Amino acid sequence: MEPLKTPQFLHSNPSQNPQFATEVKNARGETLSAACPHTTRALVALMDMQAVIGGAASHFGGPAAFAEMMSACHAYMFSESAAAQKTWHEMFHFVNDAGHCENGIYALKANYGLAGLDIEKLKGFRSIESALTGHGEAHLFPESVYISNGPLGSGLPQAQGLAAAESLNEQPRVTMTTISDGACMEGEAKEAFAAIPGLAQKGQMGPFVCMVSDNNTKLSGRIDDDSFSMKPTFESLAALGWNVTFVEDGHDLQKAYSTIEQVTSQAKADPKRPQLIWFKTIKGKGVAQTEESSSGGHGFPLKKADQVQAFIDEIYGDRKTPEVLTQWAIELSHLTKPQSTTEKVPGDRTKIQTGVSEALCTMFEKNYPIVSVSADLQGSTGVDGFRKKHPSAAFEVGVAESNMVNMAVGLSKQGYIPVVDTFAQFGVTKGALPMIMSGLSEAPLLAIYSHTGFQDAADGASHQAITYFAMMSAIPNVDVVCLTCADEAKALISQCVEAFVEKRKKGETPRSTIFFLGRETYPASFAEASTYSYGKAQVVADNSSDFKKSVTLLAAGSLLENALMAQKRLAEAGTGAIVVNPSIINNPDLETLEACLKKTSGLMVTIEDHRVVAGMGAMVTHALALKDVACRVRTLGIQDHFGRSAYTSDQLYEKYGLGISDIVEAAKDLIS
């Protein structure tokens, strides 16, 4: 069977040794050059610091733990392919499941001068101008990334597909995959762990080598303390059919190289027995501050550039820090955070998450049986405050969003009010089928899903939920709400819990509610003396009576602020606007909207950081049409494309037509 030809953009073999190299010996006794792991860690720190100055989050702990494993793996692939006089990707597939470690691979390849990278190119990491996105994305950087990564546990099962393809080839490539212990908690990773050896026994897998970095650490803390030990999982893999090799010190570069060399030879000799190397590593390796942190320095711990020189000096220890890296550190000390040109509502700002925590605590203290079920991201969603105050009502299932929602179903059936939380992208994708089963089981729940749309700017497209309204709105008995500020979160979550309790008291089944929210800061409330009523659209600002012509601006969640700033600009140009916060997205308050449209001659602009297809604008206009409400509409949303990394969401809003000026132009176009 001859496969179709597909485009191949991956870089070729290195033409030189790494600029900053160390040595390893292969089984033949030959001395080989490998990328220096200390340099990888230092470059990651410098890349991260530059991104932090720009306003983005970054990861240090993971790539620091992976440094020796990545160095050894690439040195092996490059040396073996050179010896065979072939290009490395003719002999190997390489898949990095751990997307938060991709910056370590960028650093390693810049050290080699591969994929058009050098140290200068690393300075754009996570910026909107760079292909070096927060996680590896094949659609933006195909010279280096073959399989896109980001959501933990998704790379391994895709690598399974590559190995399945190789089982059909006469000279099969070896599929090399790296993965973190946290990712091994994901259901799709566990499915692949079972399927790969099972299919291999039937001759349906090419040679497969999986390398696990086991550092017992995830974003929120130590895995075994917060949830459960992964040791039994790794020990069970041998029974599934993997040949498991344990490496006690995953930071011994020579041991890492020799083990990879040995098990890859075994995989090639017997493809029916996939190989797994269980490396014990230290997250945040190289710096005491991150090694000792409960999160392993998952994100980058430094806030000020003048701290980075000491940080990279500690990575090198007794060795001298290369001058080019010291010069970069000096450059960073002179950089300042770029000032946003996007207008904001004046006043103090806070995260919406503060209102989430307040509401849950208040309701729990009214003796309502609220139980939190989290999947590692509670520190980002706002639920952590509740969990710390009421630990007896908190469960942690690890990095496993599907399992989180399914567990909540059982709790709901037993009379509790389960609250699940994660990033929107993971909640709506990995949690979609469990949400359907929640409805079919008449086991409603509440969900707090943060980092909507482009709000997770720096992590890139894999983390940006742009289909979240559509994916949840189509499920029966589910309300979808997109929160705008902390006061609204506190009010609506509290009202939702109260309604949930009242329904249960009447022997009725409540509806599930998904509360979506952004990650950045906003005013605690967007209007003085704001009142929030669950299911009732909120007219946030209305100056339509002051002008001859006006338009309704219906804005969801994080884009409400842009709509308010657009109202201000329109007023300066002689046009009025009613700014509306829609409340329930998939069951719109048509009464309020119809009243607004009467005041604005039926003109409306809808604004959302969601795909235009099946988004809020589509749902609202359809509902209005069914009620024979006449209107002319412009829908601002995301077109037929993914997002990308940027330092801030405002940069992405402006790039993709959701900025203040875009709203103004859409309104003017309608009025004209």
Side-chain angles (χ1 to χ4, degrees), residues 32 55 102 132 148 197 250 275 533:
L32 308 172
E102 195 74 22
L132 306 186
S148 295
Q275 304 288 323
S533 179

Side-chain angles (χ1 to χ4, degrees), residues 11-16 18 74 78 88 105-118 121-122 132 141 143-144:
H11 63 78
S12 59
N13 294 352
S15 60
Q16 59 192 22
H74 283 81
F78 295 156
W88 70 273
I105 300 177
Y106 298 152
L108 182 149
K109 292 187 177 179
N111 195 354
Y112 276 101
L114 296 169
L117 296 179
D118 55 24
K121 292 281 181 63
L122 297 179
L132 306 186
F141 194 22
E143 297 85 356
S144 180

Side-chain angles (χ1 to χ4, degrees), residues 107 142-143 159 235 248 251 261 306 317 392 415 467 471-472 512:
E143 297 85 356
E235 290 174 337
E248 178 66 41
H251 299 296
E261 182 180 36
D306 58 9
S392 64
T467 59
M471 294 185 76
M472 292 293 103
S512 288

Side-chain angles (χ1 to χ4, degrees), residues 125-147:
F125 174 57
R126 290 199 167 203
S127 72
I128 199 167
E129 298 86 9
S130 176
L132 306 186
T133 50
H135 298 81
E137 295 179 17
H139 72 296
L140 291 176
F141 194 22
E143 297 85 356
S144 180
V145 182
Y146 195 53
I147 294 288

Side-chain angles (χ1 to χ4, degrees), residues 585-655:
I585 301 294
N586 58 335
N587 187 16
D589 174 9
L590 297 183
E591 182 182 353
T592 298
L593 283 176
E594 189 172 2
C596 292
L597 288 168
K598 283 181 179 178
K599 295 172 72 174
T600 60
S601 305
L603 304 180
M604 179 170 65
V605 179
T606 66
I607 310 113
E608 58 192 307
D609 56 352
H610 182 282
R611 288 276 282 117
V612 169
V613 172
M616 176 191 69
M619 286 185 268
V620 167
T621 52
H622 185 204
L624 288 169
L626 290 176
K627 201 180 176 186
D628 296 324
V629 177
C631 60
R632 290 178 55 222
V633 179
R634 296 290 181 270
T635 296
L636 299 185
I638 300 166
Q639 301 300 324
D640 193 16
H641 57 75
F642 292 104
R644 56 168 304 130
S645 284
Y647 288 157
T648 66
S649 60
D650 284 337
Q651 293 173 322
L652 292 170
Y653 293 152
E654 291 175 10
K655 179 177 177 65

Side-chain angles (χ1 to χ4, degrees), residues 461-660:
S462 67
H463 281 48
Q464 291 164 358
I466 60 173
T467 59
Y468 60 111
F469 290 157
M471 294 185 76
M472 292 293 103
S473 293
I475 301 174
N477 303 315
V478 172
D479 287 341
V480 171
V481 177
C482 201
L483 298 169
T484 62
C485 61
D487 284 358
E488 184 182 31
K490 185 176 179 180
L492 295 191
I493 292 172
S494 298
Q495 291 171 28
C496 185
V497 171
E498 296 274 12
F500 194 110
V501 171
E502 288 304 308
K503 282 275 190 181
R504 285 295 198 205
K505 286 180 178 179
K506 293 177 182 178
E508 300 173 358
T509 301
R511 295 173 67 82
S512 288
T513 301
I514 314 294
F515 290 100
F516 289 108
L517 58 145
R519 74 174 297 180
E520 296 178 6
T521 59
Y522 299 92
S525 186
F526 278 104
E528 290 184 18
S530 285
T531 57
Y532 300 97
S533 179
Y534 187 87
K536 185 75 173 175
Q538 179 197 29
V539 176
V540 183
D542 180 3
N543 63 6
S544 59
S545 61
D546 299 336
F547 299 90
K548 289 184 178 180
K549 294 182 178 180
S550 58
V551 63
T552 297
L553 303 178
L554 181 66
S558 300
L559 285 163
L560 180 65
E561 186 163 31
N562 279 6
L564 286 166
M565 293 298 98
Q567 183 199 46
K568 180 182 175 183
R569 288 195 199 173
L570 286 167
E572 293 168 354
T575 299
I578 304 174
V579 180
V580 184
N581 173 13
S583 193
I584 300 177
I585 301 294
N586 58 335
N587 187 16
D589 174 9
L590 297 183
E591 182 182 353
T592 298
L593 283 176
E594 189 172 2
C596 292
L597 288 168
K598 283 181 179 178
K599 295 172 72 174
T600 60
S601 305
L603 304 180
M604 179 170 65
V605 179
T606 66
I607 310 113
E608 58 192 307
D609 56 352
H610 182 282
R611 288 276 282 117
V612 169
V613 172
M616 176 191 69
M619 286 185 268
V620 167
T621 52
H622 185 204
L624 288 169
L626 290 176
K627 201 180 176 186
D628 296 324
V629 177
C631 60
R632 290 178 55 222
V633 179
R634 296 290 181 270
T635 296
L636 299 185
I638 300 166
Q639 301 300 324
D640 193 16
H641 57 75
F642 292 104
R644 56 168 304 130
S645 284
Y647 288 157
T648 66
S649 60
D650 284 337
Q651 293 173 322
L652 292 170
Y653 293 152
E654 291 175 10
K655 179 177 177 65
Y656 293 120
L658 296 169
I660 297 168

